[in-house]
Amino acid sequence: MLFGRDRICAVVAAPSAAEMARQLRRALRSTRTVELRLDWLKSDKERLLFIGWLQLHAPRATLLATCRGRRAGGRFADGIPKQMVFLQMAALSGCAWCDLEIETAALFRGAELKAFLGRVGVLVSYHDFHGTPRNLGEIVRRLERCGGDAIKLATQCHSLADSRRVLALARSHRRIVAVPMGEAGLPGRVLALREGSALAYAAVEAATAPGQLSLDQMKHLYRADQLNRRTRIYGVIGDPIGHSLSPLLHNAGFQARRVDAVYLPFRVRELRDFLRVIGPLGIAGFSVTLPHKQRILGCLDDCEPLASQIGAVNTVVVRRDGKLYGYNTDYVGVLRALERRVRLAGSRVLLYGAGGAARAVAFALARAGAVVCISARRREKARALARAVGGEEVDRWRLKREFFDAIVNATPVGMHPDTEHSPLEAAELNCRMVMDLIYRPRKTLLLQRAERRGIETLSGVEMFVAQGTAQWEIWTGLRAPVVPMRRAVLAALRAEEKSSSER
Ligand code: NAP
């Protein structure tokens, strides 16, 4: 191994020597390969203090020193002579590698660079924080001409196609570190080691580059260093995708059942961009979320009849011959969640909202034998959906006078950050049970109002977990480990709620 046994490289970056030392100790609990960002230290005094500390405490680990200048996206503002002196000192204090940007490295001739830094490995790096240039091959040749021991190429990816071109370098070159940056590059960061990159970076605390994952995510959520060519790749496509809980849910399932698979978030603006990487990345299946749930139907080879009736697909299986088959598990999810609490056959259920999720819920309720009543701010939409499922449209003013076995909110009203709102008033909650499809927060104002009236409540978390476990079962053919999957989602939601209440 070029950089030692651990190929996930933790990035230690802090303004003070004491913070750097603390982060380094923390990083070493997960990996023995660590980059030390000397340029993040706020002054030369702190740099000297930290290098002095390293001399005394140098851990048994592969340390890479970086003191990147501003031109290359770093924070070091002084000139090249001083930058080289700090790198030289780091090399003498236990760092086995120095990362030197091409802007500096290209100023040295032939063997000068290695002679200057002494017996350390030199990683010559190229960064582009604006985009992924067309001429990557030429850039690689320029990096190689600098006479280092390995090269690194980190570019901002605006599409999955960009990310694929960066990863292709890792496949075709040895001694290369390939870093697709940005949100679109995130799956590529996880898959880089599988594709042959010598390292993949992860932040111990603050991210030092766009799209950089935390060490915990890289090591424990995505297990980037365990992935190989046989690992099955799944994911979720959507835009935005950053807050999706699906990676937590599915990866918890794979880990609990020891399935060699990983689930990644793909930020997809245009479906075409994603469809082109399915084959090359070997994607075996994917979840679909907003805004692609309807549009994906036009890209499928086939689809379960119910999903095409609903007009939305949230789950796709990529068959061996590359054909795409679609399902709708929102439908299964709401049924699994509700049926545990309410006998749906013959019951009267009010659905508030008539959008995409409402369609899946309406079809599910109708299939289960419930009388489906629909109310929405746009009456024509409520009427059309009611007609499609053989239900009835209910005007809003009637809600205070009518009784339902259950009421389901299928609007985003009350969702984080607008948690002070409720789609329905307390006086409109005349029912045995209220379900909110929203799961951020777990207890919406609507559910609080219902509870105050002594009505049973059901959070959207249950539907989320149920639609996800149904996807997991379709892909793996195994029974989903529901308990650890739900636990992972609940823990994340609890942590989010705690941190937003502390703000
Ligand atoms: P959508 O297609 O945009 O539909 C939203 C519906 O809510 C539409 O009927 C819309 O009416 C209505 N609406 C929006 N703002 C409103 C307001 N201020 N007052 C009254 N009605 C309003 O969205 P969706 O995909 O159906 O999602 C709806 C909710 O379900 C979201 O909160 C989503 O997070 C949640 N969801 C949860 C799960 C789960 O697994 N728990 C799964 C899917 C969705 P107009 O047509 O008039 O705009």
Side-chain angles (χ1 to χ4, degrees):
M1 295 286 173
L2 193 55
F3 293 93
R5 189 168 43 99
D6 286 328
R7 293 191 303 146
I8 294 180
C9 179
V11 182
V12 164
S16 72
E19 275 289 290
M20 289 281 285
R22 188 185 59 74
Q23 280 194 21
L24 175 54
R25 278 193 292 264
R26 192 172 152 196
L28 291 170
R29 282 187 230 138
S30 301
T31 177
R32 307 306 285 183
T33 305
V34 183
E35 180 187 39
L36 305 171
R37 289 291 300 262
L38 302 178
D39 55 309
W40 272 54
L41 284 153
K42 66 176 179 230
S43 63
D44 288 349
K45 184 178 157 213
E46 292 295 332
R47 268 183 277 279
L48 291 171
L49 273 173
F50 180 64
I51 291 170
W53 179 89
L54 258 190
Q55 265 171 0
L56 293 177
H57 299 91
R60 266 206 279 180
T62 305
L63 302 179
L64 290 83
T66 301
C67 193
R68 191 162 300 140
R70 290 204 167 149
R71 275 190 310 171
R75 295 189 174 184
F76 192 71
D78 291 338
I80 290 168
K82 218 165 168 187
Q83 176 191 24
M84 295 304 291
V85 169
F86 279 120
L87 287 177
Q88 219 177 23
M89 288 168 77
L92 291 169
S93 308
C95 290
W97 284 82
C98 289
D99 176 330
L100 198 61
E101 61 267 23
I102 190 166
E103 290 83 353
T104 305
L107 301 175
F108 291 82
R109 285 216 198 97
E112 275 177 12
L113 184 59
K114 297 273 300 167
F116 189 87
L117 287 172
R119 290 174 50 173
V120 284
V122 177
L123 176 65
V124 183
S125 56
Y126 172 91
H127 302 84
D128 188 330
F129 292 93
H130 301 292
T132 300
R134 294 204 162 277
N135 59 337
L136 290 182
E138 169 53 26
I139 293 167
V140 165
R141 283 189 288 279
R142 271 173 50 208
L143 285 163
E144 286 174 339
R145 280 201 295 273
C146 290
D149 300 285
I151 62 169
K152 178 173 101 185
L153 194 131
T155 67
Q156 182 75 15
C157 296
H158 296 295
S159 64
L160 295 166
D162 282 348
S163 167
R164 223 188 108 205
R165 287 197 296 125
V166 176
L167 291 188
L169 296 174
R171 274 200 186 190
S172 56
H173 290 73
R174 291 179 62 233
R175 308 175 87 78
I176 191 168
V177 178
V179 188
M181 296 192 291
E183 208 188 343
L186 195 150
R189 278 187 181 268
V190 176
L191 296 176
L193 296 179
R194 182 186 86 143
E195 299 299 307
S197 175
L199 288 180
Y201 292 87
V204 179
E205 281 172 15
T208 55
Q212 194 175 67
L213 290 158
S214 73
L215 184 54
D216 187 49
Q217 289 172 315
M218 201 71 153
K219 182 98 188 159
H220 303 294
L221 176 61
Y222 297 117
R223 293 168 299 138
D225 51 347
Q226 314 277 311
L227 311 181
N228 57 54
R229 294 249 145 250
R230 286 186 307 277
T231 307
R232 271 175 291 154
I233 311 290
Y234 297 96
V236 53
I237 64 167
D239 184 24
I241 204 64
H243 286 94
S244 174
L245 293 170
S246 296
L248 279 171
L249 179 85
H250 287 280
N251 288 318
F254 293 141
Q255 283 168 39
R257 283 270 186 276
R258 296 180 189 280
V259 176
D260 185 10
V262 69
Y263 184 100
L264 303 165
F266 291 88
R267 197 213 63 202
V268 172
R269 296 233 159 104
E270 285 191 33
L271 276 173
R272 249 179 321 163
D273 183 34
F274 178 74
L275 296 173
R276 285 198 198 113
V277 301
I278 292 177
L281 289 184
I283 293 167
F286 54 96
S287 315
V288 186
T289 187
L290 298 177
H292 304 304
K293 278 185 176 184
Q294 278 90 34
R295 238 172 290 151
I296 190 75
L297 272 159
C299 310
L300 303 175
D301 294 290
D302 208 348
C303 173
E304 63 168 349
L306 190 64
S308 71
Q309 247 184 317
I310 294 171
V313 155
N314 77 330
T315 311
V316 176
V317 170
V318 183
R319 292 185 166 163
R320 268 170 211 264
D321 57 3
K323 294 217 159 100
L324 306 181
Y325 192 88
Y327 298 84
N328 188 311
T329 67
D330 282 337
Y331 161 90
V332 187
V334 77
L335 275 191
R336 282 190 190 170
L338 269 175
E339 270 175 341
R340 272 184 228 129
R341 306 282 196 93
V342 190
R343 228 183 85 82
L344 289 173
S347 65
R348 196 157 176 265
V349 182
L350 174 81
L351 187 53
Y352 187 65
R359 274 189 79 79
V361 177
F363 275 89
L365 293 171
R367 280 268 175 124
V371 176
V372 187
C373 303
I374 301 167
S375 186
R377 66 177 172 185
R378 281 198 276 162
R379 290 192 62 184
E380 68 282 6
K381 276 189 83 179
R383 216 172 287 142
L385 182 53
R387 213 177 301 126
V389 299
E392 93 183 79
E393 189 246 339
V394 177
D395 206 351
R396 175 86 187 245
W397 65 265
R398 279 170 54 196
L399 300 188
K400 283 187 182 150
R401 302 185 183 172
E402 302 241 357
F403 186 86
F404 301 94
D405 292 290
I407 293 179
V408 179
N409 171 42
T411 75
V413 183
M415 188 161 74
H416 179 83
D418 297 318
T419 52
E420 305 297 302
H421 296 99
S422 165
L424 297 172
E425 291 169 31
E428 292 172 313
L429 303 178
N430 302 310
C431 57
R432 267 189 262 285
M433 203 194 72
V434 173
M435 177 180 189
D436 202 332
L437 296 198
I438 294 171
Y439 51 85
R440 277 189 174 105
R442 286 169 299 162
K443 196 171 283 178
T444 56
L445 183 58
L446 175 73
L447 296 187
Q448 292 172 35
R449 282 185 175 167
E451 262 182 13
R452 263 182 249 131
R453 283 170 73 93
I455 300 168
E456 204 185 326
T457 60
L458 184 60
S459 158
V461 180
E462 292 309 317
M463 173 178 168
F464 176 75
V465 171
Q467 61 78 33
T469 51
Q471 296 182 318
W472 198 93
E473 290 176 350
I474 288 171
W475 291 327
T476 62
L478 303 171
R479 221 186 143 84
V482 180
V483 173
M485 290 173 83
R486 178 189 286 112
R487 198 187 303 131
V489 169
L490 288 177
L493 287 172
R494 230 175 276 128
E496 275 181 24
E497 286 169 17
K498 186 163 175 265
S499 85
S500 74
S501 75
E502 282 167 1
R503 251 182 256 136

